Amino acid sequence: MPTTTACSISPASEFVPPDPTVVAPPIDPTVATDFLDVSEFIAFGPQPIQRGLPQGLVERYSAAILRGRVLDEDGQPLPGVLVRILDHPEFGYTYSRFDGHYDLLVNGGGDLILDFQKSDRLRVQRQLRTTWRDWALVDDLRMIALDAQMTAVVLGPSAPAQLVSGSSILDEDGTRQARVFFRPEPKRR
C-alpha cells in the first residue's frame, strides 16, 4: 500500500522542471513496454518533472499523464505556474516550464480538477476526464494578471456605500472599466 508524504511547495524560481524530451529514458522498440514503466520518469529519477508523488501511489493499470500549456493574456508561454490536482495533495505538484507546458502523472479513470496558481495571476481551475493508461491532453489555459488598481472595501453594518473601479483596459472591443457598487448594509432594528 502506498504511503502518503507531506510536501512543501517551493517557489517557482527554485523549481522549473526540465523538458521531458531531455530527461525521458530511451524506449527499446524491440520489446513490449508498459505505460507506467515509460512514464515514471516524470515523477521519479534524477531530474523529476513532478514533485511530491510517493512511489507506488500510481497504479499500473490506471496510470495517466496530464499534459497541457499555460499562456498569458497575449498567448505567450507562462512559466512558473504551480499546477496540481485540487483536493489531492498525494499527487504532488509541478510548475509550468519555460515553454508553458506541464506534465503530471496520476491515477486516471475519472474526473480530476487541475488547479493553477501564480502570485501575480488570477487562480484558475479546470475539470477534465481521465482514462486508464492514456494521456489526457488539456486545452491551452490563459491566466489573467491581477489588476494593479486595488481598492479596500469596508464590509459590515456601519459600512458606507462604496464604488470600486478597476483599471481601464483597451482591446479589440474598445475601452472599458469594471465597476462594482457595494450598497450599505441595512440598519438592523
Side-chain angles (χ1 to χ4, degrees), residues 65-72 83 96 100-102 112 114-116 124-129 135-143:
I65 298 172
L66 312 182
R67 172 167 246 215
R69 184 171 64 155
V70 185
L71 307 171
D72 66 13
V83 184
S96 57
H101 283 95
Y102 60 88
L112 294 174
L114 284 167
D115 185 42
F116 302 86
V124 181
Q125 295 172 349
R126 290 289 182 267
Q127 183 173 341
L128 72 146
R129 174 132 317 177
W135 290 77
L137 300 177
V138 184
D139 291 337
D140 285 353
L141 174 88
R142 290 194 183 205
M143 291 188 80

Side-chain angles (χ1 to χ4, degrees), residues 61-133:
Y61 65 87
S62 66
I65 298 172
L66 312 182
R67 172 167 246 215
R69 184 171 64 155
V70 185
L71 307 171
D72 66 13
E73 303 91 334
D74 299 322
Q76 298 302 308
L78 188 59
V81 175
L82 173 64
V83 184
R84 57 187 166 180
I85 308 301
L86 186 66
D87 297 329
H88 287 281
E90 68 274 17
F91 287 124
Y93 64 96
T94 191
Y95 286 96
S96 57
R97 297 185 292 276
F98 293 111
D99 63 1
H101 283 95
Y102 60 88
D103 300 279
L104 285 170
L105 179 62
V106 298
N107 284 318
D111 291 341
L112 294 174
I113 298 174
L114 284 167
D115 185 42
F116 302 86
Q117 295 180 51
K118 189 168 173 67
S119 62
D120 62 342
R121 305 283 163 162
L122 292 174
R123 184 176 181 178
V124 181
Q125 295 172 349
R126 290 289 182 267
Q127 183 173 341
L128 72 146
R129 174 132 317 177
T130 62
T131 57
W132 292 352
R133 303 171 65 80

Side-chain angles (χ1 to χ4, degrees), residues 153-162 182-187:
V153 175
V154 178
L155 300 174
S158 61
Q162 299 163 80
F182 291 87
R183 292 186 299 190
E185 191 173 308
K187 302 276 189 239

Side-chain angles (χ1 to χ4, degrees), residues 25-56:
I27 298 173
D28 182 350
T30 64
V31 296
T33 308
D34 183 76
F35 184 84
L36 182 59
D37 290 340
V38 298
S39 305
E40 283 185 315
F41 77 91
I42 291 173
F44 307 105
Q47 295 181 312
I49 294 165
Q50 179 177 347
R51 300 283 175 100
L53 178 68
Q55 188 82 38

